[in-house]
Amino acid sequence: MDDYDDKLIELDKVTGADGCTTGGAPSPMASTSQVVVDAEGNGSISLEVPSIDHHEVKKRTKATVDPNKVDIAKPLRILKKPREIKLKISIIFLFCLIVASTTCILVLYVEEPLHYKVGNAMFYAVSREFDVHLNGANITRGLIGMNLPDMLPSSCDPFDSQNLCLEYPDIARLLIHVEQLSGMDCYNLTWEALSHDLVHRDCYSFENIHWYGGGVSANQQWPLEKMNQSRAPFVSGHKTNSFGPVVERFWLASHGVGIRVNDESPLFVSINEDDQKLCFEATYHDSPFPNPKEELPKLQYTLCAAVDMPSVHQKMMDKFSKKLRAVPQQALSKSPMWSVPACSRKSTFNETTLLQFASAIRDSKLGANSLEIQCDYTTSEGDVAFDAERFSNIATTISRIRDFGMDVAVGITLFMNTDSKAFQEGLRNQYLVEDPRSQVPGLTKWKDGVAGLLDVTSSNATSWFLSQLKTLQNTSGVSFFTFDYGQVSYLPVEFQTMEDLRNPCTFTQRYVELADKTNGPVIMRSAFQSQDIPFIVQTIPKTSVWGYENGLKSLIPTVLTLSILGYPFTMPDLEVRGQHYDPSCFVDCLPDKEFLLRWLGVIAFFPAMKINVPIWEYDQETVNIADQFIKFHQETIAPLVVKVATESGNTTATVIRPLWWTASSDPVAQSMDSEFLIGNDMLVAPVLDLGLVKRQVYLPEGKWVDQLHGTTVNGGAWVECEASLNQVPYFTRA
């Protein structure tokens, strides 16, 4: 440091950073420097440092910047503050926008469910809803595959716009095929089970839609949502808690929808059993449907949609049913048919009492064209012949009855009591329904004994039976027969017939075909797939009560149901336990006067009348009113029925029609169960309540003539009509 101090160079100017000198007066703080060089060339610098007033410097520094009092970052913060506020506002706004958007998504967005489109229908895989659309509107909704576990299906072939194939592995397969016909879309649905444990179950809602059809039952109502029917095999039966003697696998809905279930599906049906639904099941478990090959069950049906009910009815009947080949004019002209009241004491019924009953009909001067001997004329059930002891001169007796202007019919059943000659002959020649476990007849309880049944699927058995009927006609003078008890429920629990029956209702069908081979008019109680045969269907015998419990109010729903199932010619039947030749029961068992006259008033408007009540046992007013109704039927209704049936011969239009037939979109017409149409131009509204002499009548759109009072009434409204016991309100189109 000393060497350094000795070598002073005098600097008079401040040197710039680039080595250039800068002129100007020295500052007060500047130092004076001097450079000295000796003889050898060595130099030194001497530097004179001026004295510094530190107090002054401190004072100036303190006055200029005091870190304790002056915020030197304030200018930066002033510049930053507006930018921070804007950033915070932007962040808050963005946060609110995200929250609002998320909320809207959660509230408004509904994830599109997994669905499959086939034709104009949609199947939703998760909920298993099957929605059918027509002209852009959802016309029906089904919940199908209800017994499947919660799982999603996989697609299988075929799979395109007209076909849907879905498989639930190891459980079931669903096939839907679309047919687009003229004016109608049809969906063929098939559920194939892949396991014996699965019971297929498809249901269709009653919500905002009315359903009709299927079959008749004792407590029939209209539409079907008014009924309750527990799950039962869909076969013809006789009990009040099952389906009745006429069943067809055809249902119709008010939005222009129809369902036809395949004949070979082992079908069970329930109505309102669990919630408001019409449900179909297919299973062989605890079932009357035979399954000798241990096949897996299938539920197969066709659902069709058209613009309205009459359209879908006509098109589906054309597609699935046989067309009526003739109108039974002779049978209709024989109406009314009188019937010997139900027999309760066989010993009291003989030739004498039969002739007395026929003579009483003649003497009453009440119109009669035929007389039915319904039961207990044989020695033993199954022997198609009159008891020789009680009817020793039957040919003469029947001849006298025919002189009264009445043909004679006898009731026929398929039962042969084990003590009858017919049973022994049938057993020898294998004419009887057999037990499938061995070569013995299948026996069933019948009345007070045990009986076998004729095998109507065997051509040999039916030929033999027809010969028995022909012999009876030739020996007694009987004109025709009425056939009863053809329901499946009367068959043995297990049975074997000559024809293998995939559907036991085919037995009922063969029974109708047997009856059709006899001479004269055909009158049946049971039917299945027999719309082509011109016969008259007797209803379930109604009891003399006013309500729906197999009473008067169930009659119109029964006839309407039969009509839309393809059986237009109906004959209501009334159950009467007493008879004029059994005084011990007569007074107590006959219906009261008011019920009898209201009953006669209703049936006078149906295609055929049957009377099994000795009307002459009442007062003269009752006889006069009954005579009035009988003549009205013979002169007005029977010809009108033949006319409407003949005009409808080339179509599937019914004769007795529901109000919605001409007013398909009218909600009142859709649910009306106490009025009906004959053709399109006569509306009938009978009184059906005890003690009333008037009723409210609904008239569809149009102008109507009140035939009781001769006034013209505008339709689309309710009108009040008075109707005494000798009157039935009815209207014709103006």
Side-chain angles (χ1 to χ4, degrees):
M1 192 68 181
D2 293 337
D3 293 338
Y4 177 77
D5 290 338
D6 292 338
K7 299 174 181 177
L8 296 175
I9 299 175
E10 183 178 345
L11 298 176
D12 295 327
K13 301 177 182 178
V14 179
T15 303
D18 55 358
C20 299
T21 60
T22 303
S27 67
M29 293 290 296
S31 60
T32 302
S33 60
Q34 183 177 9
V35 179
V36 181
V37 180
D38 58 17
E40 295 179 355
N42 297 321
S44 63
I45 298 173
S46 64
L47 179 64
E48 183 179 344
V49 180
S51 61
I52 299 173
D53 187 349
H54 293 284
H55 181 74
E56 183 64 22
V57 170
K58 185 177 180 180
K59 181 178 179 182
R60 290 175 59 191
T61 302
K62 186 176 180 181
T64 303
V65 178
D66 186 353
N68 297 324
K69 293 184 177 182
V70 178
D71 186 359
I72 61 175
K74 183 175 181 180
L76 293 176
R77 280 197 296 271
I78 291 174
L79 291 174
K80 288 173 62 180
K81 188 171 185 180
R83 296 176 63 189
E84 288 180 348
I85 294 173
K86 290 180 181 179
L87 182 60
K88 289 180 179 179
I89 293 174
S90 299
I91 293 173
I92 293 172
F93 175 77
L94 184 59
F95 175 77
C96 293
L97 182 62
I98 293 172
V99 171
S101 300
T102 304
T103 303
C104 290
I105 291 172
L106 293 175
V107 173
L108 301 178
Y109 176 72
V110 178
E111 184 179 358
E112 183 71 17
L114 180 59
H115 64 277
Y116 301 88
K117 191 175 188 300
V118 53
N120 292 315
M122 198 78 73
F123 175 65
Y124 296 91
V126 176
S127 64
R128 299 201 186 100
E129 293 180 1
F130 182 61
D131 289 354
V132 179
H133 297 79
L134 185 71
N135 297 329
N138 182 6
I139 60 174
T140 192
R141 169 169 293 175
L143 296 175
I144 67 176
M146 294 184 67
N147 286 343
L148 292 173
D150 291 334
M151 62 185 300
L152 292 177
S154 58
S155 60
C156 49
D157 289 332
F159 189 89
D160 53 47
S161 61
Q162 300 298 108
N163 295 278
L164 175 64
C165 178
L166 298 176
E167 186 165 317
Y168 298 81
D170 301 323
I171 299 174
R173 182 182 296 111
L174 171 63
L175 303 171
I176 303 178
H177 171 66
V178 182
E179 290 183 89
Q180 293 181 323
L181 308 175
S182 177
M184 183 171 70
D185 293 345
C186 289
Y187 301 86
N188 301 307
L189 288 87
T190 300
W191 281 105
E192 297 178 352
L194 304 179
S195 165
H196 282 285
D197 296 329
L198 179 63
V199 177
H200 296 296
R201 181 178 175 84
D202 286 7
C203 295
Y204 288 84
S205 174
F206 285 142
E207 185 178 354
N208 301 319
I209 191 171
H210 303 295
W211 285 88
Y212 317 86
V216 295
S217 62
N219 304 331
Q220 189 70 44
Q221 295 196 48
W222 177 279
L224 288 178
E225 66 263 22
K226 297 180 181 179
M227 295 180 62
N228 287 280
Q229 173 65 61
S230 300
R231 175 186 179 275
F234 195 69
V235 294
S236 54
H238 65 285
K239 297 179 181 179
T240 57
N241 61 347
S242 65
F243 299 100
V246 178
V247 293
E248 293 293 335
R249 299 180 167 207
F250 176 54
W251 288 263
L252 200 63
S254 57
H255 292 175
V257 178
I259 289 179
R260 173 63 164 77
V261 180
N262 183 278
D263 287 342
E264 295 188 357
S265 291
L267 180 63
F268 285 68
V269 173
S270 64
I271 302 171
N272 282 330
E273 185 176 36
D274 51 354
D275 207 358
Q276 292 285 303
K277 297 185 186 71
L278 169 65
C279 295
F280 308 108
E281 291 187 10
T283 181
Y284 289 109
H285 294 303
D286 298 324
S287 163
F289 299 94
N291 187 25
K293 297 180 180 178
E294 295 295 322
E295 296 179 2
L296 293 169
K298 288 184 180 181
L299 177 59
Q300 294 178 284
Y301 60 93
T302 301
L303 186 152
C304 295
V307 293
D308 54 33
M309 279 187 286
S311 297
V312 76
H313 178 272
Q314 179 173 338
K315 293 176 184 297
M316 291 191 74
M317 291 296 283
D318 286 340
K319 181 176 176 63
F320 294 107
S321 299
K322 306 167 191 173
K323 187 162 292 187
L324 179 68
R325 66 171 185 257
V327 175
Q329 297 191 34
Q330 182 186 5
L332 297 173
S333 67
K334 295 291 183 183
S335 180
M337 181 179 76
W338 287 73
S339 180
V340 176
C343 314
S344 61
R345 293 189 181 182
K346 184 174 181 178
S347 60
T348 64
F349 182 40
N350 53 39
E351 220 163 52
T352 301
T353 53
L354 173 61
L355 189 58
Q356 287 175 349
F357 187 75
S359 299
I361 298 173
R362 178 201 59 186
D363 295 341
S364 69
K365 297 182 180 179
L366 296 169
N369 285 312
S370 59
L371 174 62
E372 177 195 32
I373 304 171
Q374 190 174 9
C375 59
D376 286 350
Y377 61 91
T378 65
T379 303
S380 180
E381 186 84 25
D383 290 331
V384 187
F386 281 89
D387 184 342
E389 292 185 7
R390 291 181 291 127
F391 300 93
S392 59
N393 197 17
I394 188 61
T396 302
T397 301
I398 289 179
S399 178
R400 293 186 62 184
I401 295 173
R402 295 181 72 171
D403 290 340
F404 297 161
M406 292 180 283
D407 290 331
V408 175
V410 294
I412 295 296
T413 74
L414 300 176
F415 294 95
M416 302 177 193
N417 283 356
T418 54
D419 62 353
S420 67
K421 295 179 181 178
F423 179 84
Q424 298 302 323
E425 187 172 355
L427 182 60
R428 285 195 304 270
N429 295 286
Q430 295 184 325
Y431 294 153
L432 305 180
V433 173
E434 294 184 346
D435 188 308
R437 291 163 294 190
S438 58
Q439 294 295 320
V440 297
L443 300 179
T444 185
K445 285 192 65 177
W446 177 242
K447 295 185 177 179
D448 296 328
V450 177
L453 286 92
L454 180 75
D455 184 355
V456 293
T457 73
S458 166
S459 59
N460 291 336
T462 55
S463 296
W464 168 74
F465 192 74
L466 288 171
S467 69
Q468 300 291 307
L469 298 181
K470 187 65 175 178
T471 300
L472 177 61
Q473 285 183 303
N474 293 336
T475 58
S476 67
V478 168
S479 298
F480 64 98
F481 306 97
T482 60
F483 295 85
D484 208 345
Y485 303 111
Q487 297 97 305
V488 171
S489 60
Y490 286 111
L491 289 166
V493 175
E494 293 187 49
F495 64 91
Q496 178 65 49
T497 56
M498 184 66 67
E499 178 185 350
D500 289 332
L501 305 180
R502 295 298 302 272
N503 185 339
C505 287
T506 305
F507 186 90
T508 303
Q509 182 182 3
R510 299 289 178 262
Y511 187 29
V512 181
E513 293 169 355
L514 166 65
D516 186 43
K517 296 176 182 178
T518 61
N519 295 328
V522 177
I523 299 176
M524 301 290 305
R525 181 83 67 188
S526 55
F528 174 74
Q529 287 288 294
S530 308
Q531 292 90 346
D532 59 320
I533 299 176
F535 68 97
I536 295 174
V537 180
Q538 288 196 80
T539 67
I540 297 172
K542 300 298 178 182
T543 57
S544 53
V545 298
W546 293 87
Y548 289 100
E549 298 77 21
N550 200 31
L552 184 60
K553 287 188 176 180
S554 69
L555 180 57
I556 293 176
T558 297
V559 173
L560 289 176
T561 300
L562 287 169
S563 292
I564 67 169
L565 294 180
Y567 301 102
F569 309 114
T570 49
M571 177 186 286
D573 193 8
L574 181 63
E575 182 181 274
V576 180
R577 297 183 179 180
Q579 56 280 328
H580 77 290
Y581 53 82
D582 188 359
S584 64
C585 183
F586 167 67
V587 175
D588 295 332
C589 294
L590 291 181
D592 65 70
K593 173 181 175 178
E594 183 180 357
F595 181 90
L596 174 66
L597 293 178
R598 291 303 190 195
W599 171 268
L600 292 174
V602 177
I603 69 173
F605 286 87
F606 287 139
M609 290 183 75
K610 176 180 179 179
I611 303 173
N612 57 359
V613 178
I615 297 173
W616 53 87
E617 300 286 357
Y618 293 79
D619 58 22
Q620 189 59 44
E621 181 187 33
T622 303
V623 174
N624 292 340
I625 295 173
D627 182 57
Q628 173 188 328
F629 285 138
I630 291 170
K631 287 179 177 176
F632 175 77
H633 172 82
Q634 290 175 323
E635 297 170 3
T636 303
I637 299 303
L640 177 60
V641 167
V642 172
K643 178 176 179 290
V644 172
T646 302
E647 291 173 349
S648 304
N650 294 325
T651 71
T652 54
T654 64
V655 174
I656 303 300
R657 302 173 184 176
L659 263 59
W660 53 251
W661 196 268
T662 59
S664 60
S665 61
D666 187 331
V668 178
Q670 290 174 356
S671 60
M672 179 57 66
D673 68 348
S674 62
E675 302 176 19
F676 59 92
L677 297 168
I678 304 176
N680 288 338
D681 298 330
M682 181 181 285
L683 184 148
V684 186
V687 175
L688 303 174
D689 290 290
L690 174 65
L692 296 186
V693 292
K694 60 182 178 181
R695 66 158 289 173
Q696 296 290 321
V697 178
Y698 181 76
L699 300 173
E701 290 289 343
K703 288 188 178 295
W704 298 87
V705 177
D706 182 345
Q707 293 295 328
L708 293 184
H709 306 98
T711 57
T712 301
V713 185
N714 290 323
W718 292 87
V719 297
E720 186 175 86
C721 293
E722 294 184 358
S724 57
L725 290 177
N726 67 333
Q727 294 177 315
V728 174
Y730 75 102
F731 300 77
T732 56
R733 289 189 185 273

